[in-house]
Amino acid sequence: MNNQLLNLLSPSDSKLLAPHLKPATFEQRHVLFDADQQIRHVYFPTGAVVSLVVTLSTGETVEAAMVGKDGVVGASAALDGKISLSRGIIQLGGEIVVCDIDALKSIALQSSNLLSLLIRHEQTVYAQAQQSAACFATHQVEARLCRWLLRARDLSGSDHLPFTQEYLGEMLGVRRTSVTAVAKALQEAGLIRYARGKIHILDAKAMQKMTCECYGSVKLLYEKLIGPIKK
C-alpha cells in the first residue's frame, strides 16, 4: 500500500486495522473537514495530497502543513483531540485510505508501536506548522514558493503540478500578483514551465538552491521521526 505509515505497521497491527480501511478517491479542492469541527474519520493518503490550512475572519487562508503518502490526516482526533484545529482540503486529487476514528483509537490503545508511530507523526505535523509560521514571517515569496512546490513534488511523486496562481496565493498567504511575478522569474530562469494552471518543474536541484532552509529542516525532522519519504 502506497502510504508510508501503513507500511511501517507490524503484521499484527496491519491485520487488526485492515477491516477498517476503505479506499476512496477525492478530487482537488474537496474539503475533508473544517476547523472547529468534530472529526469522524482518519485519512491515509496513498495518491492524494492534503493541505491543513488556517482560515482568517477576512476569508484569507494560509497553509500550516502538507500531508501525503508520508503520513496521516486527523490522527490527533483519534488520540482524543476530537475537534479539528484547521481545515483539511485536498491539494492534489487522488486516492486516500479512510479509517473510522474509533477503530484506529481502539487499536492504537492496544498497540504501543502504533500509538508511538501516530504520536511521532503528529510531532512532524506540529513541526511543519511551526516552520511555516517562521517561514511566513521571515522569508521572501520566491523562497517560500520554491519550498512549497518542492514539498508538493515530494509527496505527489510528480514534476507536473496542477495549481493555479490564485490557489498558490491562497496557500502562501500572498496576493496573486506576487505569485505571478515569482512564477515568471522562475520560468525565465528555466526552473519551471507554467501555463494554464499547470506547473512543470524542470530543475528541482536548482529550485532547492533557491528555497529557504525550511524545506530541508522539515524534511530532516521527518526522516528522524518517521523515515525518508519513499519514492
Side-chain angles (χ1 to χ4, degrees), residues 96-225:
I96 292 179
V97 175
V98 183
C99 181
D100 178 76
I101 190 173
D102 293 327
L104 182 62
K105 178 180 178 180
S106 176
I107 295 169
L109 291 178
Q110 299 175 52
S111 169
S112 60
N113 289 331
L114 174 56
L115 183 60
S116 173
L117 182 61
L118 293 177
I119 291 174
R120 294 201 311 274
H121 180 268
E122 291 308 290
Q123 284 183 288
T124 70
V125 175
Y126 179 59
Q128 268 198 75
Q130 286 184 310
Q131 199 74 45
S132 293
C135 190
F136 181 83
T138 60
H139 296 146
Q140 299 297 316
V141 176
E142 183 177 71
R144 290 164 54 201
L145 178 59
C146 287
R147 171 184 69 88
W148 196 90
L149 291 175
L150 288 171
R151 173 72 175 162
R153 175 182 181 268
D154 289 344
L155 296 182
S156 67
S158 175
D159 287 321
H160 298 271
L161 304 171
F163 297 128
T164 64
Q165 293 181 358
E166 181 181 8
Y167 182 76
L168 291 172
E170 289 178 7
M171 293 297 100
L172 296 174
V174 299
R175 295 181 182 277
R176 177 181 174 178
T177 51
S178 297
V179 174
T180 300
V182 171
K184 182 180 179 181
L186 294 177
Q187 185 162 251
E188 290 175 347
L191 275 62
I192 67 171
R193 183 165 59 244
Y194 190 91
R196 298 180 181 178
K198 295 182 180 180
I199 295 175
H200 180 196
I201 295 177
L202 301 174
D203 194 339
K205 288 185 178 180
M207 284 185 70
Q208 288 181 30
K209 294 178 181 179
M210 296 186 69
T211 189
C212 53
E213 65 189 77
C214 301
Y215 172 69
S217 296
V218 169
K219 193 171 184 178
L220 181 60
L221 180 62
Y222 188 93
E223 290 177 355
K224 286 181 178 179
L225 290 171

Side-chain angles (χ1 to χ4, degrees), residues 36-112:
D36 201 32
Q37 185 179 80
Q38 185 171 0
I39 298 180
R40 302 186 183 279
H41 298 93
V42 178
Y43 305 89
F44 294 90
T46 55
V49 178
V50 181
S51 287
L52 299 177
V53 303
V54 177
T55 303
L56 304 177
S57 59
T58 56
E60 295 174 297
T61 60
V62 180
E63 185 190 73
M66 189 187 302
V67 181
K69 61 185 179 181
D70 64 335
V72 58
V73 177
S76 60
L79 300 176
D80 262 2
K82 300 293 185 183
I83 302 298
S84 172
L85 301 179
S86 58
R87 171 181 290 178
I89 185 171
I90 301 295
Q91 178 198 114
L92 289 172
E95 292 191 348
I96 292 179
V97 175
V98 183
C99 181
D100 178 76
I101 190 173
D102 293 327
L104 182 62
K105 178 180 178 180
S106 176
I107 295 169
L109 291 178
Q110 299 175 52
S111 169
S112 60

